[in-house]
Amino acid sequence: MNQLIYLLFCVVLINDLIQCDLLIRTSDNIVRSAIQSDWIDERTGEASTSYVELGMVADYLFYQRAKEHLQTDDAQMVASFVVAYFVQLAELASQTFERSLPNLTVVLKFVYILTSDSVSPFSSNALRFEMNGNAKDSAGRFYLKFDDYLGAFNTWVSTNLNSELSSFDTIVAVTGGNLAHGSMESISGVAQMEGACSTNRRGFVIEDQFDFTSFTNLAHELAHCLGKKMFYI
């Protein structure tokens, strides 16, 4: 089993944006993942190992719920918690791929934590709506238009991240809101098919409530982003 070993992370607060640079020890043979059916090497006909780069972005609603969860306003403490939590989610998702797609390894490259609405436009008031007269669900989460969120997040990725970070294979937004549409509020994640490595479709989104179950959503939506129409956990 391939294990990602996380040695160190450095948390820096810059104008409402917490950038967490992860120092990761893994295989030196990191290659840009090519989207191929079942990751088969067409030259040899044999299964080949591919690596998919993953960036993780905590939207403002997730940051707010993390503060509530920890009952603190200490940005550094919240950032440390979010990074540790995301590392575990990525590891669990990677292990899921090792069971279902053993020739694919997920490599977590960076974590961004957005600490105000002004830098998190994809979770702002403009994308929130009321369902049955309520702005929030029973857990206190704002309802978010899932399709508008995905489009706004991909726009943000292509216009706000620096060229190095925005060029990674896939980037997921983890939201503390409730992704919904019309009367549907059971949408736990959304991605565009074969969006990985594209200029404006590499981003996808999942919900999270700090219970670690969202790693299945992470693996599922990442598989769609890589072109897998059906992916069973």
Side-chain angles (χ1 to χ4, degrees):
M1 178 182 296
N2 293 321
Q3 292 289 336
L4 301 183
I5 303 175
Y6 299 84
L7 303 177
L8 175 70
F9 64 85
C10 176
V11 179
V12 182
L13 177 60
I14 309 173
N15 296 329
D16 297 325
L17 172 70
I18 299 177
Q19 178 179 344
C20 307
D21 297 314
L22 306 183
L23 178 62
I24 304 173
R25 189 178 77 195
T26 183
S27 170
D28 291 330
N29 185 28
I30 301 300
V31 296
R32 182 74 58 195
S33 62
I35 302 175
Q36 297 177 340
S37 176
D38 296 321
W39 290 274
I40 298 297
D41 189 324
E42 296 178 348
R43 295 168 300 177
T44 65
E46 298 178 352
S48 59
T49 299
S50 294
Y51 299 87
V52 57
E53 302 159 330
L54 175 68
M56 300 186 73
V57 178
D59 74 7
Y60 177 61
L61 296 179
F62 186 88
Y63 175 73
Q64 285 290 92
R65 293 187 69 83
K67 291 201 303 183
E68 295 169 3
H69 182 77
L70 296 175
Q71 298 183 333
T72 182
D73 289 323
D74 187 322
Q76 299 293 324
M77 182 180 296
V78 175
S80 296
F81 168 79
V82 171
V83 171
Y85 183 70
F86 279 5
V87 165
Q88 289 299 311
L89 285 184
E91 176 63 19
L92 289 169
S94 187
Q95 290 176 11
T96 299
F97 276 119
E98 287 168 2
R99 292 193 297 271
S100 304
L101 297 168
N103 300 305
L104 182 68
T105 297
V106 179
V107 181
L108 180 59
K109 301 297 288 186
F110 72 87
V111 172
Y112 264 20
I113 304 169
L114 306 179
T115 64
S116 78
D117 254 345
S118 63
V119 295
S120 184
F122 40 89
S123 63
S124 65
N125 286 326
L127 299 186
R128 300 172 193 172
F129 71 102
E130 291 189 357
M131 182 175 290
N132 300 320
N134 298 310
K136 297 181 179 180
D137 64 13
S138 58
R141 300 180 301 163
F142 283 103
Y143 290 113
L144 297 166
K145 302 174 184 177
F146 81 92
D147 47 352
D148 290 346
Y149 187 113
L150 180 61
F153 178 61
N154 271 299
T155 298
W156 180 88
V157 167
S158 61
T159 58
N160 287 269
L161 288 181
N162 65 48
S163 58
E164 179 184 2
L165 297 184
S166 64
S167 68
F168 288 133
D169 297 339
T170 59
I171 302 171
V172 60
V174 183
T175 183
N178 183 330
L179 299 171
H181 180 74
S183 60
M184 296 188 303
E185 58 173 310
S186 58
I187 302 168
S188 56
V190 59
Q192 295 193 49
M193 191 66 63
E194 296 187 0
C197 303
S198 67
T199 302
N200 57 2
R201 297 186 300 117
R202 71 186 69 223
F204 62 103
V205 56
I206 62 169
E207 296 178 353
D208 188 276
Q209 298 190 67
F210 302 109
D211 58 5
F212 285 103
T213 59
S214 63
F215 81 89
T216 59
N217 300 332
L218 176 58
H220 184 90
E221 299 305 333
L222 179 55
H224 285 329
C225 200
L226 291 169
K228 304 298 286 186
K229 293 182 179 180
M230 303 296 290
F231 183 74
Y232 300 101
I233 306 299

